[in-house]
């Protein structure tokens, strides 16, 4: 934390997982922009999210060189959401920016974002990419589908292509940190806390170094977390599905009784019976599975484990 009694004007929170090559570039470029903005009281809060490369060494070097650089190093990889939480908790600035280390969040946007907050009275400025250039096609399709489902299911409006790149005021940051849930889905938490948000749009930029930390499977699990974390509609839908099936079965029963009265009772329909049993069995397992998903989230929450464990903090 900053040793001055005066609060820094700007805090930059940067989650880093194996970003040894990106960090020096990020630090140099962002510092340049901050100097151009004529801000002297600022701080960097880097979070080393259990990196296995020399990310921590890079951060230690920066911290020795520049006292404005602070960092937290996690005891293992806790995920970007945990890293963001840790960083926002540690940040002290009047305004706080959240940025990726890989330069996909252009620091050149910072002056304009700060201006919107200071002059236009917004509490937060957020960015969304309007193109998904350089991204695998399949991933884009699933991402779009996810946003569509999420908007239908949840009361919070998750914006398509929203990045975590944001600049926020102190009350906004404190509101985000006050949500201390373990299943952190930041894309939902940001809209959930409310306030006035201004959106910046920009085209997708490729990372400067290293590779993306998101596999398709990781993204899939993340989207399920998002839906479970911000909507209870799947639970309601399971019940509706049950009622719907009961109505169909009642109609079926009526049909069978009528047929017996008219035609007698010819023994037939074993194949269709097996299909119905398997179908209903599947449906039941599916809805129990939905229940299970919620239960597992509750299980994680009630254990009240810390969101992250820091092994080193400067
Ligand atoms: N990140 C992290 N922990 C993780 C995965 C990623 O702190 O478990 C950081 C990563 O170092 C980067 C940011 O989160 O600064 C965004 O990650 P990435 O660039 O891999 O995601 P993408 O931009 O492809 O969505
Ligand atoms: Mg990236």
């Amino acid at each position: 934390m900053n040793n001055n009694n005066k609060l820094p004007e700007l805090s930059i929170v940067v989650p880093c997982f194996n970003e040894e090559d990106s960090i020096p570039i990020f630090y140099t470029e962002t510092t340049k922009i901050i100097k151009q903005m004529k801000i002297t009281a600022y701080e960097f809060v880097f979070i080393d999210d259990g990196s296995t490369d020399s990310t921590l060494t890079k951060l230690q070097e920066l911290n020795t060189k520049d006292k404005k650089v602070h960092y937290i190093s996690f005891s293992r990889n806790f995920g970007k959401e945990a890293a963001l939480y840790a960083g926002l908790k540690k940040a002290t600035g009047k305004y706080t920016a959240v940025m990726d280390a890989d330069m996909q969040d252009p620091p050149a946007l910072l002056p304009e974002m700060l201006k919107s907050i200071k002059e236009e009275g917004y509490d937060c400025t957020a960015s969304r990419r309007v193109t998904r250039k350089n991204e695998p096609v399949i991933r884009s399709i699933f991402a779009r589908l996810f946003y569509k489902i999420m908007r239908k299911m949840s009361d919070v409006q998750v914006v398509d292509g929203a990045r975590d790149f944001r600049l926020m005021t102190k009350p906004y940051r404190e509101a985000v940190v006050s949500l201390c849930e373990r299943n952190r889905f930041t894309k939902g938490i940001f809209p959930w806390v409310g306030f006035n948000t201004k959106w910046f749009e920009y085209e997708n930029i490729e990372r400067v170094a290293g590779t993306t930390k998101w596999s398709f499977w990781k993204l899939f699990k993340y989207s399920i977390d998002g839906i479970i974390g911000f909507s209870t509609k799947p639970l309601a839908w399971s019940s509706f599905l049950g009622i719907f099936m009961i109505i169909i079965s009642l109609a079926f029963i009526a049909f069978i009784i009528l047929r017996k009265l008219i035609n007698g009772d010819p023994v037939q329909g074993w194949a269709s019976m097996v299909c119905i049993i398997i179908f209903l069995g599947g449906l039941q397992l599916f809805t129990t599975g939905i229940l299970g998903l919620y239960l597992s989230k509750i299980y994680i929450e009630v254990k009240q484990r810390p969101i992250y464990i820091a092994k080193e903090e400067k």
Side-chain angles (χ1 to χ4, degrees):
M1 236 154 280
N2 208 292
N3 291 331
N4 302 337
N5 283 335
K6 212 175 121 223
L7 285 184
E9 167 104 353
L10 181 65
S11 301
I12 310 266
V13 170
V14 195
C16 306
F17 177 48
N18 294 343
E19 300 282 7
E20 56 181 2
D21 298 327
S22 312
I23 288 171
I25 308 174
F26 174 84
Y27 170 75
T28 321
E29 291 300 313
T30 312
T31 311
K32 221 189 281 169
I33 300 282
I34 296 175
K35 294 242 161 88
Q36 280 170 17
M37 289 161 79
K38 307 234 168 356
I39 295 177
T40 47
Y42 61 91
E43 63 172 3
F44 282 99
V45 180
F46 287 95
I47 297 91
D48 162 34
D49 184 12
S51 303
T52 47
D53 64 358
S54 66
T55 294
L56 180 57
T57 325
K58 288 267 151 63
L59 295 180
Q60 286 163 337
E61 282 168 16
L62 281 181
N63 170 262
T64 338
K65 207 174 74 181
D66 181 355
K67 284 297 156 221
K68 289 186 160 66
V69 174
H70 304 274
Y71 65 87
I72 306 176
S73 179
F74 286 178
S75 59
R76 64 168 169 87
N77 179 254
F78 280 86
K80 185 182 176 185
E81 303 291 325
L84 274 180
Y85 174 75
L88 289 175
K89 222 170 112 181
K90 189 175 169 67
T92 53
K94 198 169 163 207
Y95 305 103
T96 305
V98 172
M99 300 175 79
D100 286 0
D102 57 11
M103 301 294 292
Q104 279 188 301
D105 300 336
L109 278 179
L110 282 175
E112 215 181 321
M113 287 166 92
L114 190 61
K115 205 173 136 211
S116 302
I117 291 189
K118 278 185 167 170
E119 290 172 18
E120 294 165 38
Y122 286 98
D123 304 289
C124 177
T125 48
S127 60
R128 78 180 264 267
R129 50 180 179 176
V130 278
T131 54
R132 289 181 170 271
K133 205 167 59 183
N134 308 322
E135 203 185 51
V137 181
I138 292 283
R139 181 179 290 196
S140 305
I141 293 172
F142 273 91
R144 292 238 157 78
L145 189 70
F146 162 70
Y147 283 113
K148 226 180 225 161
I149 295 175
M150 191 73 203
R151 268 198 299 272
K152 282 246 155 62
M153 281 197 170
S154 158
D155 298 330
V156 296
Q157 286 303 306
V158 179
V159 174
D160 189 356
R163 297 200 43 95
D164 292 337
F165 181 24
R166 274 170 189 258
L167 184 70
M168 59 191 95
T169 58
K170 192 160 173 261
Y172 190 98
R173 168 168 56 81
E174 284 168 350
V176 170
V177 173
S178 73
L179 268 73
C180 51
E181 58 213 66
R182 270 82 202 143
N183 297 298
R184 297 190 77 76
F185 181 71
T186 315
K187 284 189 188 342
I189 289 178
F190 283 141
W192 190 90
V193 297
F195 296 92
N196 293 326
T197 301
K198 176 170 179 174
W199 288 92
F200 273 90
E201 296 187 345
Y202 69 96
E203 303 225 332
N204 196 23
I205 302 167
E206 266 188 280
R207 49 161 53 240
V208 282
T211 50
T212 176
K213 310 300 178 300
W214 292 94
S215 63
F216 188 79
W217 180 236
K218 234 175 148 183
L219 277 176
F220 180 73
K221 282 205 300 207
Y222 183 66
S223 56
I224 299 285
D225 278 354
I227 292 169
I228 301 291
F230 280 89
S231 168
T232 49
K233 279 194 185 143
L235 288 173
W237 287 350
S238 310
S239 316
F240 282 126
L241 204 61
I243 293 169
F244 179 68
M245 294 311 292
I246 289 172
I247 293 170
I248 289 188
S249 71
L250 285 178
F252 231 35
I253 290 170
F255 169 74
I256 288 166
I257 291 174
L258 268 179
R259 196 175 61 172
K260 184 182 159 60
L261 290 178
I262 297 163
N263 283 355
D265 190 23
V267 179
Q268 50 174 241
W270 283 105
S272 55
M273 185 64 86
V274 169
C275 291
I276 291 167
I277 291 172
I278 293 176
F279 176 72
L280 287 181
L283 208 63
Q284 276 167 356
L285 282 181
F286 175 69
T287 47
T288 323
I290 292 178
L291 264 179
L293 276 177
Y294 282 91
L295 189 69
S296 66
K297 297 294 175 199
I298 298 170
Y299 177 60
I300 302 282
E301 295 292 340
V302 293
K303 279 198 282 194
Q304 292 276 310
R305 286 186 178 162
I307 296 171
Y308 65 91
I309 293 170
K311 65 170 191 227
E312 198 180 316
E313 190 167 343
K314 278 269 165 62

